[in-house]
Amino acid sequence: MYSSSPAWEKSSKEEATPLCQKFPQAQDTTLMASSPSPAHLVLLLLVALFGGWATAAASAANETQRFRPGEELRRYRRVQALLKRLNKPALRTIQSPDGDLIDCVAAHLQPAFDHPRLRGQRPLDPPVRPKGHHRRPNETADAGVQLWAVSGELCPEGSVPIRRTTEADVLRASSVRRFGRAPAARVRRDSVAGGHEHAVGYVAGGEYYGAKASINVWAPRVSTPSEFSLSQIWVIAGSFGNDLNTIEAGWQVSPQLYGDNSPRFFTYWTTDAYQTTGCYNLLCSGFIQTNSRIAMGAAISPTSGYNGGQFDISLLVWKDPNHGNWWLEFGSGELVGYWPSLLFSHLASHASMVQFGGEVVNTHASGAHTATQMGSGHFAGEGFGRASYFRNLEVVDWDNSLLPLAAGFHVTADHPNCYDIQGGVNDVWGNYFYYGGPGRNVRCT
């Protein structure tokens, strides 16, 4: 493959070969006759120097045009301004085994209170839990499920743990302006849009004041950095147009957002269908964290294994009937914080739909369907220990009571040959379903 010299190398060798070797019979006459005079040598030297300067100048101009230092400087300043706004002064910093830095920030200085309507406030006291809420066996109630907390070092009371945002995090985003925001079309409609594909269970048509589920945690493979795989609860109000309100919580694998392939606890919210409002975790002003033991955006450990141990997390989102804010509980007792009611339009009242399930982004990067996995990466029919699941699905009613799902619960998958879902009911798990899949396979191209 590399036995013969490339064309440019042959040309260089030929030019360097003395004429007397190419034409030995002319070495005493032709070569001497063609030798340039001193004046000619000076002229040739000037031409060569001028040509070199011209080439260098043209190259520099091209480099300047390509890198546009003014634009790069403006981008750099935008990145630094964003980092300064997000990374508040820390009372303590904890190094996570996965490389994350967790800053312990005074609760009243967290990003939420940069919001004009929240400025100067402090986190509220815990609300009353929904009636019927109780701890089930095997539910985790402490922060030990997050990798950063394995050392036992936690943030002091009165502070909240916040994953530090790095310059690398911001530069992975499509733009500084869109950092921390999700692409549009993240909720299932009648048809798939924007490459988002779902396998979900849902209830709709009533008035819902919250939702609860235990979600099986895996580490699905994500094919490209611009794709993600998540499993979550959606609390939804409004239309699927520009006024969509959502509150979301679950786990996700997002290399672009976090820089790795670990499943991470996350939240999201929007009031205008992901256009300009809302963000992941604490990457904008909005969600108010009250917990000193749970870090949003931090890796979850352990995870489930195929034909091995199974691990799930319990999440509860509900509307405080006294103040109208939407609260989030992790495990069976860890109140993480709340979304103030003032952030929302439709959700200021109640939700009209609740969804549970998985979602992936399919960019068709290789010209075929993505191989990004959903859930465990295996189809629902493989069942416990192989397929991913949601169990103990419940909703909160107008009376702040947790209730099992009614007969109107439905399951659906956008592309069942790629990712599918199968639901059921039993005495131990209540309403549940298995879901997920490998993405690209012989039936999904």
Side-chain angles (χ1 to χ4, degrees), residues 44-118:
L44 289 172
L45 179 60
L46 290 173
V47 170
L49 287 174
F50 179 79
W53 290 335
T55 301
S59 176
N62 288 337
E63 292 296 307
T64 299
Q65 185 174 10
R66 183 171 58 165
F67 290 109
R68 306 173 73 93
E71 183 176 319
E72 291 298 314
L73 180 59
R74 285 190 293 274
R75 178 177 170 82
Y76 171 79
R77 287 173 175 168
R78 287 196 297 270
V79 171
Q80 298 308 311
L82 177 63
L83 294 176
K84 183 178 181 180
R85 178 163 55 83
L86 293 177
N87 295 324
K88 305 299 185 181
L91 303 175
R92 178 187 301 169
T93 296
I94 300 170
Q95 176 83 52
S96 175
D98 62 356
D100 281 355
L101 292 176
I102 305 298
D103 290 327
C104 302
V105 176
H108 67 284
L109 297 180
Q110 62 183 288
F113 296 115
D114 292 337
H115 192 288
R117 297 180 64 185
L118 298 172

Side-chain angles (χ1 to χ4, degrees), residues 98-394:
D98 62 356
D100 281 355
L101 292 176
I102 305 298
D103 290 327
C104 302
V105 176
H108 67 284
L109 297 180
Q110 62 183 288
F113 296 115
D114 292 337
H115 192 288
R117 297 180 64 185
L118 298 172
R119 195 167 291 135
Q121 297 185 24
R122 290 178 178 267
L124 296 175
D125 292 332
V128 177
R129 262 70 161 194
K131 294 184 284 289
H133 174 49
H134 56 86
R135 184 173 181 176
R136 293 189 174 90
N138 302 321
E139 284 187 348
T140 304
D142 59 29
V145 299
Q146 290 201 301
L147 199 56
W148 72 276
V150 296
S151 67
E153 185 179 9
L154 298 174
C155 288
E157 288 299 322
S159 67
V160 295
I162 300 178
R163 179 182 180 270
R164 184 181 299 178
T165 302
T166 67
E167 186 174 314
D169 290 334
V170 181
L171 294 178
R172 284 192 303 270
S174 59
S175 70
V176 177
R177 184 180 63 84
R178 293 297 302 175
F179 174 69
R181 301 187 188 279
R186 291 220 34 241
V187 180
R188 188 190 177 278
R189 325 179 190 207
D190 293 334
S191 62
V192 182
H196 296 257
E197 299 183 18
H198 309 77
V200 298
Y202 67 94
V203 289
E207 294 185 0
Y208 308 102
Y209 295 82
K212 187 175 189 292
S214 293
I215 308 174
N216 196 197
V217 181
W218 293 80
R221 183 180 66 250
V222 174
S223 294
T224 69
S226 58
E227 297 180 343
F228 62 66
S229 180
L230 59 77
S231 297
Q232 69 172 39
I233 298 171
W234 289 263
V235 177
I236 304 166
S239 68
F240 288 96
N242 294 333
D243 65 342
L244 183 73
N245 288 203
T246 74
I247 286 172
E248 306 167 29
W251 61 261
Q252 69 177 160
V253 176
S254 177
Q256 186 176 74
L257 186 59
Y258 304 108
D260 62 19
N261 291 281
S262 298
R264 294 169 176 271
F265 169 55
F266 84 99
T267 62
Y268 200 91
W269 67 275
T270 182
T271 62
D272 61 358
Y274 309 98
Q275 295 181 87
T276 61
T277 62
C279 62
Y280 286 108
N281 307 322
L282 301 180
L283 297 178
C284 66
S285 57
F287 184 88
I288 298 175
Q289 184 161 334
T290 61
N291 192 288
S292 63
R293 296 160 56 84
I294 301 295
M296 294 193 294
I300 299 173
S301 181
T303 59
S304 302
Y306 189 79
N307 280 332
Q310 299 301 295
F311 179 76
D312 59 37
I313 58 173
S314 177
L315 296 177
L316 166 65
V317 176
W318 85 101
K319 188 175 180 62
D320 173 15
N322 294 321
H323 296 96
N325 303 314
W326 291 88
W327 282 79
L328 171 65
E329 183 181 272
F330 182 98
S332 189
E334 293 285 354
L335 278 180
V336 181
Y338 59 95
W339 293 269
S341 178
L342 61 83
L343 296 176
F344 303 103
S345 53
H346 300 289
L347 280 175
S349 175
H350 59 266
S352 56
M353 175 185 285
V354 172
Q355 287 185 182
F356 311 84
E359 176 188 357
V360 301
V361 169
N362 173 24
T363 63
H364 293 89
S366 63
H369 193 283
T370 183
T372 288
Q373 298 174 332
M374 179 188 292
S376 69
H378 293 265
F379 287 113
E382 295 195 40
F384 185 78
R386 299 176 179 86
S388 189
Y389 62 81
F390 276 61
R391 64 180 176 90
N392 298 118
L393 309 179
E394 297 175 292

